[in-house]
Amino acid sequence: MKPVTVIVNGGAGTGHDEAACAALRTRLAAAGLDAELVLADGGERMIATARRALERGARLVAAGGGDGTINAVASVMVDSGVPFGVLPLGTLNHFAKDLGIPLDLAEAVRNLATGRPVKVDVGEVNGRICLNNSSLGLYPD
């Protein structure tokens, strides 16, 4: 069976470290996913990890983080033909909410293992993809 790669942004939300990743690995295994979990800081490392996963024949690539993390990894996954999963580990998680992905981590992991893929529209603004919004400036309070 082809591998599953889960890319976690260490700086997303309240932050994620090796201990949090160890707990996530346990949850992934319990859900029946033999996953390589990569703790990555910064968009470039997440993008490189997603590219490497596709080159190695991943059957699923998932991103754990907030909307910025999801967007960075999705920029590689668009039109790849490989399912893209979301673990909402960020602050706002708008994309996950829009898709009805559970915000509870245990439920989101189960969704990776047993959920059904759905196609989503992807926009492009100035050569960059956008999944659920594109904004200028800062979010208002």
Side-chain angles (χ1 to χ4, degrees), residues 31 42 82:
V82 174

Side-chain angles (χ1 to χ4, degrees), residues 15-119:
H16 307 281
D17 58 12
E18 283 299 332
C21 286
L24 180 54
R25 280 185 188 93
T26 300
R27 287 179 192 246
L28 292 163
L33 295 172
D34 182 17
E36 173 192 16
L37 194 146
V38 178
L39 182 60
D41 286 320
E44 291 304 317
R45 179 145 187 250
M46 291 182 283
I47 288 169
T49 301
R51 285 185 180 133
R52 197 167 38 257
L54 290 178
E55 290 166 1
R56 292 179 180 168
R59 68 178 175 93
L60 169 70
V61 176
D67 293 315
T69 300
I70 304 309
N71 200 75
V73 177
S75 71
V76 175
M77 301 306 297
V78 167
D79 294 328
S80 71
V82 174
F84 172 56
V86 173
L87 292 175
L89 300 176
T91 304
L92 299 176
N93 302 307
H94 289 300
F95 184 69
K97 289 175 185 174
D98 288 348
L99 291 178
I101 294 171
L103 298 182
D104 176 77
L105 183 57
E107 292 178 30
V109 168
R110 275 193 299 279
N111 185 60
L112 282 183
T114 63
R116 63 175 178 76
V118 296
K119 290 188 179 208

